[in-house]
Amino acid sequence: MQTKTFGNGGPAVSAIGQGTWYLDRGDRQSAVAALRRGIATGMTHIDTAEMYGDAELVIADAIAGLPRQELFLVSKVLPSNASRRGTITACERSLKRLKTDHLDCYLLHWRGSYPLEETVATFDELVASGKIRSWGVSNFDVDDLDELHAVAGDGKIACNQVLYHLQERAIEHAVIPWCERNGTAVVAYSPFGHDEFPSPRSKGGEVLQSIADAHEASARQVALAFLTRAPSVLAIPKASRAEHAADNAGAGDIKLSAAEIAALDK
């Protein structure tokens, strides 16, 4: 599994991780097995949020007994909880549900009404206390990132987690370049979209499948390899079954040629 630096001077993290949105909606045993299979194949970067129902509890079951230092756990605070006291309480609640003593990264889920200064100061307080190792944001555009950078200073924003899939590539124009300039990792959520993955019968789907056949890979593996082609971009696909987790992990070993990238880009 390919790894990438997470943030400015941060740790090496699996380029393909595991998302958990809606993971609590299906069979619990299957979800736990999927996460464990993903971890076994190298997808040790696991993303969740307090908003994701019981996903944190599912993760706790999946990681029970595993070496904590080999995992990279990320959770998020809701904007409505992003006051000083609310952020601390939310973080402690997530730690308890995950049955861990720290988060590797803690994110503001999206921009809310609390001043960024208050949330950032609390994130720094959580870092100092050892409850989180780093912090970042989700769903921030360039204007938001500029404002956040002015508050936090250089090298503090570990990641920006954003929507990114083959049919939604707006972040390529300004967000990814901003993050690359500032040492901020980009984490792509919903990398297969929501019922938006290219049909095998579409032009894009045909190109995708042709490249997949050349690599003896699946179309989804090629899609993940394309999305994570930039050094700063990681992806967190969700899998509710073990075989899907293993398929996602296979994307971490695919190296697309310049011609293949150009064909997919077109």
Side-chain angles (χ1 to χ4, degrees), residues 181-211:
R181 288 193 305 272
N182 290 277
T184 298
V186 177
V187 179
Y189 72 77
S190 299
F192 300 133
H194 298 288
D195 300 320
E196 296 156 307
F197 196 72
S199 164
R201 293 180 296 277
S202 68
K203 180 61 177 175
E206 290 175 0
V207 171
L208 197 61
Q209 191 58 54
S210 174
I211 294 171

Side-chain angles (χ1 to χ4, degrees), residues 149-173:
H149 182 265
V151 170
D154 293 337
K156 298 292 286 293
I157 309 166
C159 85
N160 183 24
Q161 188 180 119
V162 286
L163 177 66
Y164 185 39
H165 56 81
L166 291 176
Q167 311 286 7
E168 177 50 74
R169 297 171 55 193
I171 66 166
E172 293 176 358
H173 302 296

Side-chain angles (χ1 to χ4, degrees), residues 78-83 108 110-119:
L78 282 165
S80 55
N81 289 336
S83 64
L108 175 60
W110 63 86
R111 186 76 184 267
S113 60
Y114 287 106
L116 290 175
E117 290 84 354
E118 183 173 355
T119 306

Side-chain angles (χ1 to χ4, degrees), residues 226-240:
F226 176 77
L227 294 172
T228 57
R229 67 197 184 280
S232 61
V233 182
L234 305 89
I236 46 170
K238 186 198 77 173
S240 55

Side-chain angles (χ1 to χ4, degrees), residues 25-193:
R25 302 287 181 90
D27 179 76
R28 180 75 159 260
Q29 187 174 355
S30 177
V32 168
L35 285 169
R36 287 182 175 165
R37 181 70 175 277
I39 293 167
T41 56
M43 293 192 299
T44 53
H45 169 198
I46 303 174
D47 177 87
T48 190
E50 65 170 337
M51 190 185 83
Y52 295 174
D54 287 337
E56 290 176 330
L57 302 178
V58 177
I59 293 169
D61 288 348
I63 66 175
L66 298 178
R68 177 64 183 86
Q69 69 273 15
E70 296 179 7
L71 303 170
F72 191 87
L73 299 183
V74 180
S75 194
K76 309 179 197 72
V77 59
L78 282 165
S80 55
N81 289 336
S83 64
R84 180 186 180 279
R85 173 44 51 192
T87 300
I88 292 172
T89 299
C91 181
E92 291 175 343
R93 184 166 55 242
S94 288
L95 293 174
K96 183 176 181 180
R97 286 160 63 86
L98 287 162
K99 297 182 180 178
T100 186
D101 63 352
H102 73 279
L103 292 169
D104 295 283
C105 196
Y106 196 37
L107 312 183
L108 175 60
H109 209 146
W110 63 86
R111 186 76 184 267
S113 60
Y114 287 106
L116 290 175
E117 290 84 354
E118 183 173 355
T119 306
V120 167
T122 310
F123 281 161
D124 287 341
E125 185 178 334
L126 289 168
V127 171
S129 68
K131 291 178 180 176
I132 67 175
R133 298 284 173 84
S134 63
W135 61 264
V137 292
S138 183
N139 300 300
F140 270 44
D141 61 22
V142 168
D143 288 343
D144 292 325
L145 289 167
D146 281 337
E147 187 175 342
L148 180 64
H149 182 265
V151 170
D154 293 337
K156 298 292 286 293
I157 309 166
C159 85
N160 183 24
Q161 188 180 119
V162 286
L163 177 66
Y164 185 39
H165 56 81
L166 291 176
Q167 311 286 7
E168 177 50 74
R169 297 171 55 193
I171 66 166
E172 293 176 358
H173 302 296
V175 171
I176 290 178
W178 190 101
C179 290
E180 289 179 340
R181 288 193 305 272
N182 290 277
T184 298
V186 177
V187 179
Y189 72 77
S190 299
F192 300 133

Side-chain angles (χ1 to χ4, degrees), residues 169 211 225-226 229 256-266:
R169 297 171 55 193
I211 294 171
F226 176 77
R229 67 197 184 280
L256 299 175
S257 70
E260 289 169 334
I261 289 172
L264 288 166
D265 185 50
K266 184 178 178 181

